[in-house]
Amino acid sequence: MSRIPVYEPCLDGNVSAYVNECLTSGWISSRGQFISRFEEAFASYVGADAATSVANGTVAIHLALEALGISSGDEVIVPSFTYIASVNTIIQTGATPVYVDSLSSTLQVDPAAIIAAITPRTKAVMAVHLYGHPCDMDAIVEICREHNLLLIEDCAEGFGSLWKGRHVGTFGDAATFSFFGNKTITTGEGGMVLARDPAVMERCRRLKSQGVSPSREYWHDMLAFNYRMTNIQAAIGLAQIEMADHLLNEKKRVADTYARLLEGLPLRLHKAVGDVRHSYWMCSIIVDDCQDRDALRAYLAEHGVETRPFFHMAHHMPHCHTNQVLPVGEELSKKGINLPSYPKLTTQQLEHICATIHAYFDCAAV
């Protein structure tokens, strides 16, 4: 069997037709009809009033933070068990990330830890919907309301994830998505920003486009950025939105197959907990013994299966290190593996992956 990557995008549907339309029309940069069509289709799909597209998921977070006025002297509470972009963008605004622990059951930020971390300098909470499972949005929204805090949702890995029937990204003051090549819907690179307040949304649109005046040509009256998405990216994104339900259904099929074929092994799967829809951006396992994590990954690699480790804790990184001990996240970080998770995985491939995992544990038991 040929090598099985951890992810590959599904570029079916109207992707080629829409991209070719960009090429033949000449609209290939950050203007063109597909920009607004993708933004409108995305907002409609997730249940938001409006959305604005950007160049990638990281600048989406930075743009949201800037538009909300996060700046020097502010503290933003964020799980340490997350991708580093969540933290880097906080630091880029001049604010201070305040790291908190996660829940073992869901891998998401612990609401009790958020409450314990609030200080007079706390300005916002960043909820990261990790690996496709939503955070406890009832608890987090209530915390932010009670303490008058801004709420930013990092939905880079959460497209298609629902909390009690409601799409992630529609709870916070602002929310961000990523469309990197390994995301459920992709534009190659790219991202999206949502905002509850129309004034914040308008500020996002101006900030992402060099702060240009809406009424005066080539007049720029604020320090701003070039974070715009191209028309070609948006064309791909529109075609992806059209396939979104199919892609999510296929990823659920993959996750269900793993659950069935890996039952009884010394590991657990990252399953949906509570009244949620887990979008299974990544199908993940957490081994019982951390010593098996790297050995199992090496064994899978020897048999043609690519995997990823769980993220390192952000507060362990040299440029944003603290001496905190966050035991749940630290244990998860050492035990977790992301398995191949793309929609076009075949039954034969999934059986090979699971048989290889079984074989590893059979050998380890001898």
Side-chain angles (χ1 to χ4, degrees):
M1 179 173 290
S2 60
R3 175 180 169 275
I4 303 173
V6 72
Y7 211 90
E8 61 181 30
C10 177
L11 300 175
D12 296 339
N14 286 316
V15 169
S16 295
Y18 290 168
V19 169
N20 284 331
E21 186 175 336
C22 294
L23 298 177
T24 56
S25 68
W27 291 102
I28 61 172
S29 294
S30 55
R31 294 185 180 181
Q33 63 161 323
F34 285 108
I35 299 288
S36 59
R37 288 177 64 186
F38 178 39
E39 290 173 344
E40 290 166 5
F42 186 88
S44 177
Y45 190 90
V46 302
D49 291 333
T52 190
S53 57
V54 291
N56 59 63
T58 301
V59 302
I61 307 173
H62 185 233
L63 184 67
L65 293 167
E66 290 281 354
L68 289 170
I70 305 297
S71 63
S72 179
D74 295 332
E75 293 179 348
V76 179
I77 296 172
V78 62
S80 182
F81 182 44
T82 184
Y83 182 56
I84 196 62
S86 309
V87 172
N88 280 346
T89 48
I90 294 169
I91 297 171
Q92 286 161 3
T93 68
T96 300
V98 175
Y99 304 111
V100 294
D101 211 349
S102 300
L103 297 168
S104 180
S105 57
T106 64
L107 279 59
Q108 309 309 307
V109 65
D110 184 348
I114 293 174
I115 294 171
I118 294 171
T119 76
R121 293 177 58 192
T122 306
K123 182 74 171 287
V125 173
M126 186 180 294
V128 184
H129 304 289
L130 199 65
Y131 298 133
H133 194 294
C135 299
D136 182 343
M137 296 314 297
D138 286 355
I140 295 171
V141 167
E142 181 57 32
I143 291 166
C144 291
R145 182 181 294 118
E146 182 179 345
H147 295 273
N148 195 28
L149 303 175
L150 295 168
L151 173 57
I152 301 104
E153 293 181 75
D154 178 351
C155 310
E157 302 169 6
F159 177 80
S161 303
L162 306 181
W163 173 262
K164 296 185 176 179
R166 183 173 165 185
H167 203 289
V168 300
T170 61
F171 296 87
D173 295 282
T176 65
F177 292 79
S178 170
F179 307 131
F180 185 64
N182 64 9
K183 296 302 190 290
T184 299
I185 65 167
T186 182
T187 60
E189 287 279 2
M192 197 72 77
V193 179
L194 312 180
R196 176 184 295 131
D197 185 341
V200 175
M201 176 58 74
E202 180 57 27
R203 183 168 170 80
C204 285
R205 292 189 175 114
R206 292 196 64 200
L207 281 170
K208 80 171 188 179
S209 192
Q210 301 287 21
V212 67
S213 168
S215 59
R216 186 176 179 184
E217 263 189 314
Y218 290 100
W219 184 258
H220 308 268
D221 57 6
M222 61 171 67
L223 179 64
F225 320 100
N226 179 4
Y227 284 172
R228 295 169 296 194
M229 175 180 280
T230 69
N231 198 43
I232 290 179
Q233 288 176 302
I236 298 170
L238 180 61
Q240 292 274 290
I241 280 285
E242 293 171 353
M243 298 189 292
D245 288 344
H246 168 72
L247 297 174
L248 289 164
N249 287 338
E250 287 300 293
K251 289 173 76 68
K252 179 67 162 54
R253 172 189 62 84
V254 170
D256 288 346
T257 303
Y258 279 132
R260 176 171 53 84
L261 296 180
L262 295 178
E263 190 174 1
L265 293 175
L267 55 81
R268 65 182 175 96
L269 281 80
H270 181 210
K271 294 183 178 181
V273 178
D275 184 8
V276 305
R277 182 172 78 180
H278 192 328
S279 63
Y280 294 104
W281 170 62
M282 283 286 164
C283 296
S284 305
I285 57 173
I286 301 99
V287 295
D288 291 352
D289 187 338
C290 64
Q291 294 186 9
D292 283 319
R293 200 276 296 275
D294 292 345
L296 174 55
R297 291 192 65 224
Y299 190 82
L300 284 162
E302 290 171 7
H303 291 80
V305 179
E306 182 185 18
T307 61
R308 296 176 13 154
F310 274 8
F311 296 130
H312 293 287
M313 299 290 280
H315 77 286
H316 290 171
M317 301 292 180
H319 69 289
C320 49
H321 181 271
T322 72
N323 292 321
Q324 291 171 267
V325 176
L326 302 174
V328 175
E330 289 170 13
E331 182 178 22
L332 290 169
S333 179
K334 294 174 183 177
K335 290 184 172 182
I337 301 174
N338 300 136
L339 299 175
S341 304
Y342 52 95
K344 288 191 174 182
L345 277 164
T346 66
T347 298
Q348 183 183 17
Q349 288 173 316
L350 289 165
E351 289 175 346
H352 170 71
I353 295 165
C354 294
T356 304
I357 295 173
H358 274 274
Y360 166 82
F361 284 109
D362 288 345
C363 292
V366 174

